[in-house]
PDB file of all heavy atoms in Angstrom:
ATOM      1  N   VAL H 110     202.928 136.636  24.740  1.00  0.00           N
ATOM      2  CA  VAL H 110     203.306 137.698  25.863  1.00  0.00           C
ATOM      3  C   VAL H 110     202.926 139.134  25.318  1.00  0.00           C
ATOM      4  O   VAL H 110     203.017 139.969  26.266  1.00  0.00           O
ATOM      5  CB  VAL H 110     204.812 137.613  26.144  1.00  0.00           C
ATOM      6  CG1 VAL H 110     205.172 136.199  26.808  1.00  0.00           C
ATOM      7  CG2 VAL H 110     205.710 137.706  24.926  1.00  0.00           C
ATOM      8  N   TYR H 116     206.099 133.023  22.711  1.00  0.00           N
ATOM      9  CA  TYR H 116     207.427 132.805  23.389  1.00  0.00           C
ATOM     10  C   TYR H 116     207.282 131.297  24.032  1.00  0.00           C
ATOM     11  O   TYR H 116     206.279 131.015  24.701  1.00  0.00           O
ATOM     12  CB  TYR H 116     207.598 133.786  24.569  1.00  0.00           C
ATOM     13  CG  TYR H 116     208.909 133.660  25.360  1.00  0.00           C
ATOM     14  CD1 TYR H 116     210.034 134.049  24.750  1.00  0.00           C
ATOM     15  CD2 TYR H 116     208.945 133.010  26.595  1.00  0.00           C
ATOM     16  CE1 TYR H 116     211.202 133.918  25.458  1.00  0.00           C
ATOM     17  CE2 TYR H 116     210.080 132.798  27.228  1.00  0.00           C
ATOM     18  CZ  TYR H 116     211.233 133.262  26.677  1.00  0.00           C
ATOM     19  OH  TYR H 116     212.479 133.108  27.331  1.00  0.00           O
ATOM     20  N   VAL H 125     202.845 131.588  34.035  1.00  0.00           N
ATOM     21  CA  VAL H 125     203.988 132.540  34.121  1.00  0.00           C
ATOM     22  C   VAL H 125     203.286 133.954  34.621  1.00  0.00           C
ATOM     23  O   VAL H 125     202.589 134.486  33.882  1.00  0.00           O
ATOM     24  CB  VAL H 125     204.899 132.857  32.975  1.00  0.00           C
ATOM     25  CG1 VAL H 125     206.072 133.768  33.272  1.00  0.00           C
ATOM     26  CG2 VAL H 125     205.365 131.512  32.460  1.00  0.00           C
ATOM     27  N   ILE H 204     215.590 131.532  34.740  1.00  0.00           N
ATOM     28  CA  ILE H 204     214.631 132.407  35.473  1.00  0.00           C
ATOM     29  C   ILE H 204     213.832 133.068  34.287  1.00  0.00           C
ATOM     30  O   ILE H 204     212.658 133.126  34.244  1.00  0.00           O
ATOM     31  CB  ILE H 204     215.270 133.407  36.235  1.00  0.00           C
ATOM     32  CG1 ILE H 204     215.955 132.677  37.480  1.00  0.00           C
ATOM     33  CG2 ILE H 204     214.337 134.422  36.794  1.00  0.00           C
ATOM     34  CD1 ILE H 204     216.829 133.491  38.366  1.00  0.00           C
ATOM     35  N   ALA H 205     214.572 133.706  33.222  1.00  0.00           N
ATOM     36  CA  ALA H 205     213.952 134.424  32.286  1.00  0.00           C
ATOM     37  C   ALA H 205     212.848 133.650  31.464  1.00  0.00           C
ATOM     38  O   ALA H 205     211.874 134.206  30.936  1.00  0.00           O
ATOM     39  CB  ALA H 205     214.943 135.034  31.327  1.00  0.00           C
ATOM     40  N   LYS H 206     213.050 132.406  31.403  1.00  0.00           N
ATOM     41  CA  LYS H 206     212.121 131.513  30.635  1.00  0.00           C
ATOM     42  C   LYS H 206     210.743 131.433  31.389  1.00  0.00           C
ATOM     43  O   LYS H 206     209.787 130.908  30.846  1.00  0.00           O
ATOM     44  CB  LYS H 206     212.703 130.165  30.407  1.00  0.00           C
ATOM     45  CG  LYS H 206     213.917 130.067  29.466  1.00  0.00           C
ATOM     46  CD  LYS H 206     213.495 130.075  27.957  1.00  0.00           C
ATOM     47  CE  LYS H 206     213.339 128.649  27.520  1.00  0.00           C
ATOM     48  NZ  LYS H 206     212.920 128.615  26.176  1.00  0.00           N
ATOM     49  N   GLY H 207     210.713 131.886  32.610  1.00  0.00           N
ATOM     50  CA  GLY H 207     209.386 131.846  33.254  1.00  0.00           C
ATOM     51  C   GLY H 207     209.246 131.123  34.469  1.00  0.00           C
ATOM     52  O   GLY H 207     208.226 130.984  35.114  1.00  0.00           O
ATOM     53  N   TYR H 209     209.416 131.261  37.910  1.00  0.00           N
ATOM     54  CA  TYR H 209     209.430 132.088  39.007  1.00  0.00           C
ATOM     55  C   TYR H 209     207.987 132.392  39.444  1.00  0.00           C
ATOM     56  O   TYR H 209     207.064 132.175  38.767  1.00  0.00           O
ATOM     57  CB  TYR H 209     210.226 133.401  38.843  1.00  0.00           C
ATOM     58  CG  TYR H 209     209.719 134.088  37.575  1.00  0.00           C
ATOM     59  CD1 TYR H 209     208.591 134.760  37.463  1.00  0.00           C
ATOM     60  CD2 TYR H 209     210.599 134.075  36.433  1.00  0.00           C
ATOM     61  CE1 TYR H 209     208.223 135.516  36.374  1.00  0.00           C
ATOM     62  CE2 TYR H 209     210.186 134.678  35.259  1.00  0.00           C
ATOM     63  CZ  TYR H 209     208.885 135.293  35.237  1.00  0.00           C
ATOM     64  OH  TYR H 209     208.506 135.956  33.952  1.00  0.00           O
ATOM     65  N   VAL H 229     203.886 140.659  39.370  1.00  0.00           N
ATOM     66  CA  VAL H 229     205.244 140.127  39.201  1.00  0.00           C
ATOM     67  C   VAL H 229     205.783 140.764  38.021  1.00  0.00           C
ATOM     68  O   VAL H 229     205.360 140.426  36.785  1.00  0.00           O
ATOM     69  CB  VAL H 229     205.347 138.513  39.058  1.00  0.00           C
ATOM     70  CG1 VAL H 229     206.778 138.124  38.822  1.00  0.00           C
ATOM     71  CG2 VAL H 229     204.790 137.833  40.434  1.00  0.00           C
ATOM     72  N   MET H 230     206.700 141.581  38.073  1.00  0.00           N
ATOM     73  CA  MET H 230     207.274 142.452  36.889  1.00  0.00           C
ATOM     74  C   MET H 230     208.182 141.491  36.169  1.00  0.00           C
ATOM     75  O   MET H 230     209.084 140.854  36.810  1.00  0.00           O
ATOM     76  CB  MET H 230     207.932 143.700  37.364  1.00  0.00           C
ATOM     77  CG  MET H 230     207.039 144.608  38.111  1.00  0.00           C
ATOM     78  SD  MET H 230     207.830 146.201  38.587  1.00  0.00           S
ATOM     79  CE  MET H 230     208.871 145.674  39.917  1.00  0.00           C
ATOM     80  N   ASN H 231     207.983 141.338  34.892  1.00  0.00           N
ATOM     81  CA  ASN H 231     208.908 140.464  34.042  1.00  0.00           C
ATOM     82  C   ASN H 231     209.113 140.934  32.654  1.00  0.00           C
ATOM     83  O   ASN H 231     208.569 142.022  32.296  1.00  0.00           O
ATOM     84  CB  ASN H 231     208.243 138.942  34.123  1.00  0.00           C
ATOM     85  CG  ASN H 231     206.941 138.928  33.806  1.00  0.00           C
ATOM     86  OD1 ASN H 231     206.251 139.894  33.417  1.00  0.00           O
ATOM     87  ND2 ASN H 231     206.360 137.789  33.884  1.00  0.00           N
ATOM     88  N   GLY H 232     209.823 140.193  31.898  1.00  0.00           N
ATOM     89  CA  GLY H 232     210.154 140.548  30.595  1.00  0.00           C
ATOM     90  C   GLY H 232     210.450 139.353  29.782  1.00  0.00           C
ATOM     91  O   GLY H 232     210.682 138.281  30.411  1.00  0.00           O
ATOM     92  N   PHE H 233     210.430 139.444  28.455  1.00  0.00           N
ATOM     93  CA  PHE H 233     210.682 138.259  27.578  1.00  0.00           C
ATOM     94  C   PHE H 233     211.682 138.528  26.501  1.00  0.00           C
ATOM     95  O   PHE H 233     211.487 139.582  25.753  1.00  0.00           O
ATOM     96  CB  PHE H 233     209.422 137.787  26.934  1.00  0.00           C
ATOM     97  CG  PHE H 233     208.461 137.299  28.175  1.00  0.00           C
ATOM     98  CD1 PHE H 233     207.554 138.050  28.750  1.00  0.00           C
ATOM     99  CD2 PHE H 233     208.669 135.955  28.630  1.00  0.00           C
ATOM    100  CE1 PHE H 233     206.739 137.603  29.812  1.00  0.00           C
ATOM    101  CE2 PHE H 233     207.941 135.493  29.662  1.00  0.00           C
ATOM    102  CZ  PHE H 233     207.009 136.284  30.295  1.00  0.00           C
ATOM    103  N   ASP H 234     212.692 137.766  26.431  1.00  0.00           N
ATOM    104  CA  ASP H 234     213.721 138.021  25.401  1.00  0.00           C
ATOM    105  C   ASP H 234     213.393 137.031  24.127  1.00  0.00           C
ATOM    106  O   ASP H 234     213.712 135.875  24.182  1.00  0.00           O
ATOM    107  CB  ASP H 234     215.071 137.598  25.898  1.00  0.00           C
ATOM    108  CG  ASP H 234     216.212 137.477  24.858  1.00  0.00           C
ATOM    109  OD1 ASP H 234     216.001 137.947  23.793  1.00  0.00           O
ATOM    110  OD2 ASP H 234     217.238 136.845  25.181  1.00  0.00           O
ATOM    111  N   THR H 235     212.518 137.642  23.341  1.00  0.00           N
ATOM    112  CA  THR H 235     211.862 136.743  22.306  1.00  0.00           C
ATOM    113  C   THR H 235     212.880 136.373  21.136  1.00  0.00           C
ATOM    114  O   THR H 235     212.517 135.499  20.314  1.00  0.00           O
ATOM    115  CB  THR H 235     210.596 137.406  21.692  1.00  0.00           C
ATOM    116  OG1 THR H 235     211.085 138.676  21.135  1.00  0.00           O
ATOM    117  CG2 THR H 235     209.617 137.661  22.696  1.00  0.00           C
ATOM    118  N   THR H 240     218.437 140.746  25.581  1.00  0.00           N
ATOM    119  CA  THR H 240     217.653 141.869  26.004  1.00  0.00           C
ATOM    120  C   THR H 240     216.245 141.527  25.856  1.00  0.00           C
ATOM    121  O   THR H 240     215.871 140.679  25.001  1.00  0.00           O
ATOM    122  CB  THR H 240     218.061 143.112  25.128  1.00  0.00           C
ATOM    123  OG1 THR H 240     217.730 142.950  23.629  1.00  0.00           O
ATOM    124  CG2 THR H 240     219.471 143.486  25.162  1.00  0.00           C
ATOM    125  N   ASN H 241     215.429 142.236  26.551  1.00  0.00           N
ATOM    126  CA  ASN H 241     213.969 141.881  26.494  1.00  0.00           C
ATOM    127  C   ASN H 241     213.302 142.695  25.355  1.00  0.00           C
ATOM    128  O   ASN H 241     213.664 143.851  25.170  1.00  0.00           O
ATOM    129  CB  ASN H 241     213.247 142.162  27.841  1.00  0.00           C
ATOM    130  CG  ASN H 241     213.897 141.284  28.922  1.00  0.00           C
ATOM    131  OD1 ASN H 241     213.721 140.110  28.918  1.00  0.00           O
ATOM    132  ND2 ASN H 241     214.560 141.867  29.917  1.00  0.00           N
ATOM    133  N   GLU H 242     212.381 142.084  24.647  1.00  0.00           N
ATOM    134  CA  GLU H 242     211.598 142.712  23.652  1.00  0.00           C
ATOM    135  C   GLU H 242     210.202 143.051  24.149  1.00  0.00           C
ATOM    136  O   GLU H 242     209.484 143.943  23.640  1.00  0.00           O
ATOM    137  CB  GLU H 242     211.325 141.765  22.450  1.00  0.00           C
ATOM    138  CG  GLU H 242     212.576 141.767  21.394  1.00  0.00           C
ATOM    139  CD  GLU H 242     213.775 141.102  22.091  1.00  0.00           C
ATOM    140  OE1 GLU H 242     213.680 139.957  22.630  1.00  0.00           O
ATOM    141  OE2 GLU H 242     214.819 141.736  22.021  1.00  0.00           O
ATOM    142  N   VAL H 243     209.791 142.259  25.292  1.00  0.00           N
ATOM    143  CA  VAL H 243     208.448 142.673  25.903  1.00  0.00           C
ATOM    144  C   VAL H 243     208.694 142.737  27.374  1.00  0.00           C
ATOM    145  O   VAL H 243     209.257 142.035  27.973  1.00  0.00           O
ATOM    146  CB  VAL H 243     207.458 141.533  25.560  1.00  0.00           C
ATOM    147  CG1 VAL H 243     206.139 141.742  26.316  1.00  0.00           C
ATOM    148  CG2 VAL H 243     207.262 141.385  24.065  1.00  0.00           C
ATOM    149  N   TYR H 244     208.013 143.809  27.948  1.00  0.00           N
ATOM    150  CA  TYR H 244     208.071 143.967  29.422  1.00  0.00           C
ATOM    151  C   TYR H 244     206.497 143.986  29.928  1.00  0.00           C
ATOM    152  O   TYR H 244     205.690 144.443  29.145  1.00  0.00           O
ATOM    153  CB  TYR H 244     208.655 145.314  29.753  1.00  0.00           C
ATOM    154  CG  TYR H 244     210.164 145.435  29.511  1.00  0.00           C
ATOM    155  CD1 TYR H 244     210.498 145.694  28.183  1.00  0.00           C
ATOM    156  CD2 TYR H 244     211.064 145.095  30.456  1.00  0.00           C
ATOM    157  CE1 TYR H 244     211.915 145.759  27.931  1.00  0.00           C
ATOM    158  CE2 TYR H 244     212.350 145.120  30.165  1.00  0.00           C
ATOM    159  CZ  TYR H 244     212.882 145.483  28.894  1.00  0.00           C
ATOM    160  OH  TYR H 244     214.164 145.492  28.671  1.00  0.00           O
ATOM    161  N   ALA H 245     206.329 143.555  31.142  1.00  0.00           N
ATOM    162  CA  ALA H 245     205.004 143.470  31.646  1.00  0.00           C
ATOM    163  C   ALA H 245     205.030 143.365  33.181  1.00  0.00           C
ATOM    164  O   ALA H 245     206.069 143.155  33.775  1.00  0.00           O
ATOM    165  CB  ALA H 245     204.339 142.266  31.063  1.00  0.00           C
ATOM    166  N   ALA H 246     203.818 143.538  33.755  1.00  0.00           N
ATOM    167  CA  ALA H 246     203.497 143.089  35.153  1.00  0.00           C
ATOM    168  C   ALA H 246     202.613 141.916  34.830  1.00  0.00           C
ATOM    169  O   ALA H 246     201.551 141.996  34.174  1.00  0.00           O
ATOM    170  CB  ALA H 246     202.795 144.109  35.873  1.00  0.00           C
ATOM    171  N   ASN H 247     202.987 140.664  35.304  1.00  0.00           N
ATOM    172  CA  ASN H 247     202.165 139.473  35.077  1.00  0.00           C
ATOM    173  C   ASN H 247     202.084 138.998  33.638  1.00  0.00           C
ATOM    174  O   ASN H 247     201.108 138.659  33.074  1.00  0.00           O
ATOM    175  CB  ASN H 247     200.739 139.548  35.675  1.00  0.00           C
ATOM    176  CG  ASN H 247     200.771 139.789  37.230  1.00  0.00           C
ATOM    177  OD1 ASN H 247     201.705 139.419  37.863  1.00  0.00           O
ATOM    178  ND2 ASN H 247     199.616 140.320  37.763  1.00  0.00           N
ATOM    179  N   THR H 248     203.339 139.197  33.100  1.00  0.00           N
ATOM    180  CA  THR H 248     203.622 138.415  31.825  1.00  0.00           C
ATOM    181  C   THR H 248     203.124 139.039  30.472  1.00  0.00           C
ATOM    182  O   THR H 248     203.804 139.146  29.492  1.00  0.00           O
ATOM    183  CB  THR H 248     203.179 136.858  31.858  1.00  0.00           C
ATOM    184  OG1 THR H 248     203.869 136.401  33.019  1.00  0.00           O
ATOM    185  CG2 THR H 248     203.383 136.163  30.620  1.00  0.00           C
ATOM    186  N   VAL H 249     201.823 139.440  30.376  1.00  0.00           N
ATOM    187  CA  VAL H 249     201.324 139.850  29.139  1.00  0.00           C
ATOM    188  C   VAL H 249     201.415 141.425  28.998  1.00  0.00           C
ATOM    189  O   VAL H 249     200.892 142.187  29.931  1.00  0.00           O
ATOM    190  CB  VAL H 249     199.929 139.425  29.027  1.00  0.00           C
ATOM    191  CG1 VAL H 249     199.220 139.988  27.789  1.00  0.00           C
ATOM    192  CG2 VAL H 249     199.807 137.882  29.084  1.00  0.00           C
ATOM    193  N   ASN H 272     209.969 141.981  41.501  1.00  0.00           N
ATOM    194  CA  ASN H 272     210.662 142.156  40.318  1.00  0.00           C
ATOM    195  C   ASN H 272     211.408 140.832  39.959  1.00  0.00           C
ATOM    196  O   ASN H 272     212.402 140.491  40.478  1.00  0.00           O
ATOM    197  CB  ASN H 272     211.640 143.285  40.371  1.00  0.00           C
ATOM    198  CG  ASN H 272     212.305 143.500  39.083  1.00  0.00           C
ATOM    199  OD1 ASN H 272     211.804 143.170  38.043  1.00  0.00           O
ATOM    200  ND2 ASN H 272     213.630 143.995  39.100  1.00  0.00           N
ATOM    201  N   ALA H 273     210.831 140.157  38.935  1.00  0.00           N
ATOM    202  CA  ALA H 273     211.513 138.868  38.353  1.00  0.00           C
ATOM    203  C   ALA H 273     212.198 139.154  37.065  1.00  0.00           C
ATOM    204  O   ALA H 273     212.588 138.257  36.415  1.00  0.00           O
ATOM    205  CB  ALA H 273     210.360 137.860  38.253  1.00  0.00           C
ATOM    206  N   LEU H 274     212.492 140.413  36.677  1.00  0.00           N
ATOM    207  CA  LEU H 274     213.168 140.712  35.395  1.00  0.00           C
ATOM    208  C   LEU H 274     214.500 140.313  35.322  1.00  0.00           C
ATOM    209  O   LEU H 274     215.237 140.415  36.293  1.00  0.00           O
ATOM    210  CB  LEU H 274     213.085 142.203  35.185  1.00  0.00           C
ATOM    211  CG  LEU H 274     213.346 142.768  33.839  1.00  0.00           C
ATOM    212  CD1 LEU H 274     212.390 142.311  32.813  1.00  0.00           C
ATOM    213  CD2 LEU H 274     213.420 144.208  33.860  1.00  0.00           C
ATOM    214  N   GLU H 275     214.907 139.590  34.219  1.00  0.00           N
ATOM    215  CA  GLU H 275     216.391 139.410  33.962  1.00  0.00           C
ATOM    216  C   GLU H 275     216.800 140.245  32.751  1.00  0.00           C
ATOM    217  O   GLU H 275     216.047 140.880  32.076  1.00  0.00           O
ATOM    218  CB  GLU H 275     216.477 137.866  33.499  1.00  0.00           C
ATOM    219  CG  GLU H 275     216.283 136.940  34.752  1.00  0.00           C
ATOM    220  CD  GLU H 275     217.410 137.011  35.730  1.00  0.00           C
ATOM    221  OE1 GLU H 275     218.544 137.465  35.360  1.00  0.00           O
ATOM    222  OE2 GLU H 275     217.233 136.734  36.944  1.00  0.00           O
ATOM    223  N   PHE H 276     218.058 140.257  32.651  1.00  0.00           N
ATOM    224  CA  PHE H 276     218.811 140.973  31.566  1.00  0.00           C
ATOM    225  C   PHE H 276     218.989 142.511  31.781  1.00  0.00           C
ATOM    226  O   PHE H 276     219.703 143.253  31.339  1.00  0.00           O
ATOM    227  CB  PHE H 276     218.263 140.678  30.232  1.00  0.00           C
ATOM    228  CG  PHE H 276     218.162 139.135  29.912  1.00  0.00           C
ATOM    229  CD1 PHE H 276     217.061 138.683  29.475  1.00  0.00           C
ATOM    230  CD2 PHE H 276     219.392 138.449  30.095  1.00  0.00           C
ATOM    231  CE1 PHE H 276     217.003 137.235  29.240  1.00  0.00           C
ATOM    232  CE2 PHE H 276     219.232 137.121  29.843  1.00  0.00           C
ATOM    233  CZ  PHE H 276     218.193 136.503  29.364  1.00  0.00           C
ATOM    234  N   ASP H 277     217.851 143.148  32.549  1.00  0.00           N
ATOM    235  CA  ASP H 277     217.833 144.502  32.898  1.00  0.00           C
ATOM    236  C   ASP H 277     218.131 144.561  34.343  1.00  0.00           C
ATOM    237  O   ASP H 277     217.354 143.921  35.073  1.00  0.00           O
ATOM    238  CB  ASP H 277     216.598 145.166  32.488  1.00  0.00           C
ATOM    239  CG  ASP H 277     216.314 145.263  30.984  1.00  0.00           C
ATOM    240  OD1 ASP H 277     216.966 146.230  30.311  1.00  0.00           O
ATOM    241  OD2 ASP H 277     215.584 144.527  30.464  1.00  0.00           O
ATOM    242  N   ASN H 280     214.309 147.728  37.493  1.00  0.00           N
ATOM    243  CA  ASN H 280     212.923 147.822  37.011  1.00  0.00           C
ATOM    244  C   ASN H 280     212.241 148.852  37.943  1.00  0.00           C
ATOM    245  O   ASN H 280     212.937 149.253  38.927  1.00  0.00           O
ATOM    246  CB  ASN H 280     212.176 146.602  37.131  1.00  0.00           C
ATOM    247  CG  ASN H 280     211.102 146.433  36.155  1.00  0.00           C
ATOM    248  OD1 ASN H 280     210.433 147.507  35.615  1.00  0.00           O
ATOM    249  ND2 ASN H 280     210.608 145.239  35.925  1.00  0.00           N
ATOM    250  N   LEU H 339     207.164 149.169  25.616  1.00  0.00           N
ATOM    251  CA  LEU H 339     207.323 147.765  25.333  1.00  0.00           C
ATOM    252  C   LEU H 339     206.432 146.939  26.078  1.00  0.00           C
ATOM    253  O   LEU H 339     206.560 145.699  26.251  1.00  0.00           O
ATOM    254  CB  LEU H 339     208.704 147.242  25.368  1.00  0.00           C
ATOM    255  CG  LEU H 339     209.668 147.858  24.208  1.00  0.00           C
ATOM    256  CD1 LEU H 339     211.175 147.388  24.385  1.00  0.00           C
ATOM    257  CD2 LEU H 339     209.214 147.427  22.881  1.00  0.00           C
ATOM    258  N   TRP H 341     205.112 147.375  29.585  1.00  0.00           N
ATOM    259  CA  TRP H 341     204.874 147.467  31.046  1.00  0.00           C
ATOM    260  C   TRP H 341     204.117 148.741  31.424  1.00  0.00           C
ATOM    261  O   TRP H 341     204.708 149.771  31.887  1.00  0.00           O
ATOM    262  CB  TRP H 341     206.323 147.367  31.787  1.00  0.00           C
ATOM    263  CG  TRP H 341     206.309 147.456  33.295  1.00  0.00           C
ATOM    264  CD1 TRP H 341     207.508 147.352  34.100  1.00  0.00           C
ATOM    265  CD2 TRP H 341     205.272 147.541  34.278  1.00  0.00           C
ATOM    266  NE1 TRP H 341     207.201 147.394  35.374  1.00  0.00           N
ATOM    267  CE2 TRP H 341     205.845 147.483  35.559  1.00  0.00           C
ATOM    268  CE3 TRP H 341     203.918 147.636  34.148  1.00  0.00           C
ATOM    269  CZ2 TRP H 341     205.135 147.571  36.797  1.00  0.00           C
ATOM    270  CZ3 TRP H 341     203.233 147.782  35.403  1.00  0.00           C
ATOM    271  CH2 TRP H 341     203.841 147.747  36.706  1.00  0.00           C
TER     272      TRP H 341
END
Side-chain angles (χ1 to χ4, degrees):
V110 295
Y116 182 78
V125 182
I204 295 173
K206 293 275 274 180
Y209 48 77
V229 177
M230 299 185 285
N231 51 2
F233 296 91
D234 171 17
T235 59
T240 61
N241 296 299
E242 279 68 53
V243 173
Y244 293 83
N247 295 338
T248 299
V249 178
N272 183 27
L274 190 65
E275 286 293 333
F276 307 125
D277 291 281
N280 204 341
L339 291 173
W341 182 179

